[in-house]
Amino acid sequence: MNMEHLSSHVNNKGVLIHYLDSIQAADPRLTPLLICPGLSETAEEYADLLEYLLPRRCVALSFRGRGGSDTPMSGYNLDSHLADLEGVIRAAGLERFHLFAHSRGASYALGYVQQQCQIGSSSVVSLILSDYPPEHRQMPEDWANDYITNYLIPFERTANIRPEAVWGIQHEAKQIALTAPLDTVHNALILRGALEDSLLSDTDTEKYNSMFTHCRVEVLEQSGHNLMDNEREGCFRLIRGFLDEKI
């Protein structure tokens, strides 16, 4: 299947945030899925997941500084990314939804859910988190220059995440633990790479197990942190199977 998804922007205090939405081909009886891409990923890089999960509605956003979203010169801390997420949730009219996040996107998903738990909201039905510890990570001092020079430029990904956004994350991101129990979200699926460059340790996995009433951990044996590239179809199958159990 190859279809056009609804492409929209929401204005978050002057910053336009882009998102894709498969609502036009979706079954409204199924609970939607909201997708938080990884650090340098865009909504467009999850268009195949939107199609794969049809007829379930899926919404994927590009956070600030990424893809079709605006690139402000500042505003790259955790709260700013949560505001992007909240803006898309409101604009898309998502009331109850599953939430999937890959890599650093897990920080934003967890931050949002913990914020919602504090006000007693139960809008998030379940969480799917891919190969990232329960934390918002502060980057090392030399990270931005190395990331831009040795990854974004040679792999031609400066349109996926602009250098201004990388430097903004370098300067503004603070280390925050996101390990509080999530009382309003009972079910979680954790995807973890088996190889040594996975970003999830056994200790991290134990933390996740303590955060949810029901937590399933699935290990992708042929991958490290690159599981969404290296075993993409396997990840998609696990995501769909988990969602189908929850309706």
Side-chain angles (χ1 to χ4, degrees), residues 31-34 56 96-100 125-126 243 246-247:
T31 304
L33 174 70
L34 177 60
R56 186 183 301 276
R96 293 182 73 254
F97 54 93
H98 303 284
L99 186 52
F100 164 60
V125 177
S126 72
L243 293 174
K246 307 297 179 290
I247 306 300

Side-chain angles (χ1 to χ4, degrees), residues 78-95:
L78 177 59
D79 287 343
S80 297
H81 286 86
L82 297 189
D84 293 345
L85 196 55
E86 291 164 355
V88 169
I89 291 167
R90 287 194 301 271
L94 298 175
E95 296 180 356

Side-chain angles (χ1 to χ4, degrees), residues 33-34 36 99-111 113-114 124 126-135 178 182 185 187-193 200 204 208 211-212 215-218 220 225 227-228 235 239 242:
L33 174 70
L34 177 60
C36 297
L99 186 52
F100 164 60
H102 174 58
S103 189
R104 192 174 178 86
S107 299
Y108 310 138
L110 284 168
V113 173
Q114 292 200 355
V124 178
S126 72
L127 265 174
I128 303 171
L129 303 174
S130 173
D131 208 71
Y132 205 78
E135 65 182 22
L178 297 170
L182 300 175
V185 182
N187 296 286
L189 171 64
I190 309 299
L191 303 178
R192 177 184 180 183
L200 266 181
D204 295 326
Y208 277 128
M211 291 167 61
F212 303 97
C215 182
R216 181 192 306 171
V217 179
E218 295 284 356
L220 283 298
H225 186 59
L227 69 175
M228 286 301 296
C235 290
I239 291 168
F242 178 78

